Amino acid sequence: MTRQHTRAWLGAGALVLTGTLALTGCGSGFDDEGGTGSTGDAGELTSSDDALSILIGSSGDAETAAVEEAVAAWSEESGVEASVQVANDLPQQLSQGFAAGSPPDLFYLASEALAGYAGNGSLIAYGDLLENKDDFYPSLVENFTVDDQFYCAPKDFSTLQLIINKGLWDAAGLTDDDVPTTWDELAEVAQTLTTDGVTGLAFGAEYQRLGAFMAQAGGQLVSDDGTEAVANSAENVEALTYVQEQMNAGSFAYATTDLGAGWGGEAFGQELAAMTIEGNWITGALSNDFPDVEYVVAELPAGPAGQGTMQFTNCWGMAADSPNQQAALELVEYLTTAEQQLAFSEAFGPMPSVQSAADQWTADNPDLAAFLAGADYAKGVPTNDGIAAVITDFNASLEGLKSGDPQEILDTVQANTEAVVD
């Protein structure tokens, strides 16, 4: 996953414009939009001499250059012309392309947008045709499976973990032995690190951060099989109550509304917070914007139900109307090889979505190994059609969590989630 992938979830202004994971389908209500079209089954792929068009959302020049170079290398090798376009607002431009009957052949596709496009026949489900289909992490395959059809290849991914300011940690007299492994320990070190002008732990005011605590408590918004809304479970109430208690104690804070930063990484880089909860995209932000801040990445502490975190990913969506699906499939296979994904990781920071790259990635990035460890217990954003609107409403409610009622907040989310799940 790219850096803007989750910063878009944060509501960080500059990254929302790129739209790689901007929320889609955010209407005034929570009913399914429905759709018409083919089932999207991949039988015999179309093949022609047509050039391929690729639409991406980019975190910056590094990502753009890396994708353009990879596509150009494949194009030269295959003899198939291909061009990359960087979207200003990817969800909007993608929907406009489909509406006009001229979608790109390949495109970045967020997991929460998959069901809607699959349901109206816009996509071809080509996942099972990939030669490397068994190499993808199972949890990522699940993110891009609808009605038992594996639609598209996960292009990369990220997880959330705990980022610790080493200088502030050392100054507080804390050692490696104090790295928290439980909620109680996290609350204790956050309080220790909270001083005038510095909050112990800061993060985004949104489900895409607080969902990690929900996972650690054993909760989620939708059941694993996607058929039942479970947003107002006792586990989720316990998670939000824990966060609320630490916020009222002054040791947890929202990076934006409480500290005035654009996102958690900025609050951390400006040393307004001694710890934050972010993904591996933060490494590029810190090296570029806050190079003097030393940090350590640790796995998030376990909650009442054990370890838990959130996982974010995009896939390479393929248009059902593409005249050259066979070439598009071959390009996807090229872009998702271990070698190419490792090159992307080096260029702009995401973790490879294929398991065969794990050992090399860990060897290349030993200080970031906690992020990859999260793949074993991470929860993805639900993929039900219409869930994006539910999450937008949930995030608005979470802004008032400090003085709000966790049960009431989650009861509203439950009703909204039921509307898109049933």
Side-chain angles (χ1 to χ4, degrees), residues 189-195 198-202 250-253 272-276:
V189 297
Q191 194 65 58
T192 298
L193 290 164
T194 299
T195 62
V198 179
T199 300
L201 174 65
S251 55
F252 285 16
L272 300 173
M275 300 184 292
T276 190

Side-chain angles (χ1 to χ4, degrees), residues 59-103:
S59 58
D61 293 342
E63 179 171 0
T64 299
V67 175
E68 288 178 340
E69 290 171 8
V71 170
W74 174 84
S75 181
E76 182 177 359
E77 179 180 311
S78 66
V80 178
E81 293 185 16
S83 60
V84 176
Q85 178 186 359
V86 179
N88 292 320
D89 186 324
L90 192 144
Q92 181 182 47
Q93 288 174 243
L94 189 58
S95 63
Q96 289 173 340
F98 279 116
S102 56

Side-chain angles (χ1 to χ4, degrees), residues 138-382:
S139 60
L140 298 180
V141 173
E142 182 180 345
N143 281 158
F144 296 109
T145 297
V146 175
D147 295 333
D148 297 323
Q149 293 186 76
F150 178 23
Y151 266 82
C152 48
K155 73 180 193 67
D156 50 42
F157 78 111
S158 291
T159 65
L160 299 177
Q161 296 296 3
L162 186 67
I163 320 299
I164 299 169
N165 183 307
K166 189 176 186 308
L168 295 176
W169 185 269
D170 293 345
L174 298 170
T175 70
D176 291 349
D177 292 337
D178 296 308
V179 173
T181 59
T182 66
W183 277 7
D184 287 344
E185 291 175 357
L186 179 63
E188 183 177 350
V189 297
Q191 194 65 58
T192 298
L193 290 164
T194 299
T195 62
D196 290 341
V198 179
T199 300
L201 174 65
F203 40 81
E206 55 181 357
Y207 156 72
Q208 294 83 355
R209 294 299 176 276
L210 275 73
F213 293 104
M214 293 162 60
Q216 292 155 17
Q220 53 192 327
L221 293 182
V222 179
S223 60
D224 287 337
D225 62 7
T227 63
E228 182 182 1
V230 292
N232 65 346
S233 67
E235 291 81 2
N236 287 339
V237 173
E238 182 176 17
L240 295 194
T241 299
Y242 168 77
V243 173
Q244 182 186 62
E245 289 172 350
Q246 311 318 313
M247 294 177 76
N248 284 314
S251 55
F252 285 16
Y254 286 146
T256 49
T257 55
D258 295 333
L259 303 184
W263 63 295
E266 183 178 324
F268 183 83
Q270 292 178 342
E271 299 194 325
L272 300 173
M275 300 184 292
T276 190
I277 297 172
E278 286 294 339
N280 39 293
W281 58 86
I282 195 176
T283 60
L286 293 177
S287 62
N288 291 331
D289 301 331
F290 307 101
D292 296 330
V293 175
E294 292 187 70
Y295 62 92
V296 174
V297 181
E299 290 183 72
L300 284 164
Q307 287 185 290
T309 189
M310 295 204 69
Q311 173 177 281
F312 304 93
T313 180
N314 280 342
C315 79
W316 287 106
M318 186 187 301
D321 290 338
S322 170
N324 202 357
Q325 294 166 347
Q326 183 59 46
L329 178 73
E330 293 168 7
L331 174 55
V332 170
E333 288 177 336
Y334 178 88
L335 295 173
T336 57
T337 61
E339 180 182 11
Q340 186 57 61
Q341 289 207 44
L342 287 167
F344 284 153
S345 179
E346 183 177 359
F348 59 95
M351 293 189 297
S353 60
V354 290
Q355 298 172 85
S356 59
D359 290 344
Q360 186 61 55
W361 188 89
T362 302
D364 293 341
N365 304 277
D367 295 337
L368 307 180
F371 289 122
L372 192 57
D376 292 335
Y377 50 83
K379 291 286 187 182
V381 177

Side-chain angles (χ1 to χ4, degrees), residues 116-131:
Y117 281 124
N120 64 25
S122 296
L123 307 177
I124 188 77
Y126 69 86
D128 285 332
L129 301 180
L130 292 162
E131 291 185 0

